[in-house]
Amino acid sequence: MLYKYSDLKKKGYAHKDIERLVDQRIMFKIEKGVYSNRRNVTELSTFLVKHPNVIFTLESAFFYHGMTSKRPDKYVVVTKKPAWRIVDPQIKQYFMDAAIYDIGVTKIQVNNTWIPIYDKERMLIELVRYRKKLDPEYYQEIKNYYHRHPEIIDMRKLKGYLNQFVSKKKITEVILTEVL
């Protein structure tokens, strides 16, 4: 199990107690501020302990959902406005209005780690919303995936999600004319 330093402090461990546990190899220091009772932990699980309020989106979500083999250079995540900017070179952060932040959030297992991620219906909406910010070839690849696999989309769920977006009409038009 992974722990933040602050969580260990809240559980009553003093700094010296934590150091003693590390010296005795009962606890392992994974990186600054992150500890584990196991020696080997994944980078992804460490990332989620450090950043528990993120949701994977765009390039990261498309990759983890198996829609592309292109692994993103950074974790692409979204946080709810108004959030602090995450200062971490391994993160590309977007900010989302609270009204639409939780729409389509699910969890999937990646390398024995459960990650918060938008489902495929929400990712179709995000593909259209961010199409001008994505590389055109990459956009085409993901668009083609949706086109080749229409069975992955729950249309009732997609319609329910779309009703909550201000630009519903434009997003729907692009989905119907370009993607599906």
Side-chain angles (χ1 to χ4, degrees), residues 5 18 33 36 40 42 45 57 59 102 109 118 131-132 135 141 145-146 155 169:
Y5 178 80
I18 297 169
S36 177
N40 297 320
T42 65
S45 59
T57 191
E59 292 95 331
D102 292 320
Q109 193 172 21
Y118 287 125
R131 69 187 180 281
K132 292 183 179 162
D135 174 72
E141 176 188 4
Y145 182 90
Y146 277 106
M155 292 305 284
K169 193 172 183 180

Side-chain angles (χ1 to χ4, degrees), residues 55-78 90-94 108 110 115-118 122-124 126-128 130-139 141-142 146:
I55 300 171
F56 287 92
T57 191
L58 296 172
E59 292 95 331
S60 289
F62 294 133
F63 176 75
Y64 291 133
H65 279 305
M67 297 179 183
T68 181
S69 60
K70 183 181 177 193
R71 180 180 287 277
D73 302 352
K74 299 178 178 198
Y75 292 114
V76 183
V77 298
V78 63
Q90 67 178 352
I91 294 177
K92 182 176 182 180
Q93 179 184 17
Y94 290 92
I108 63 170
V110 176
I115 65 168
I117 190 169
Y118 287 125
R122 172 64 187 263
M123 288 312 306
L124 177 54
E126 295 306 300
L127 176 68
V128 170
Y130 288 92
R131 69 187 180 281
K132 292 183 179 162
K133 292 185 179 187
L134 296 171
D135 174 72
E137 286 181 24
Y138 185 77
Y139 171 74
E141 176 188 4
I142 304 302
Y146 277 106

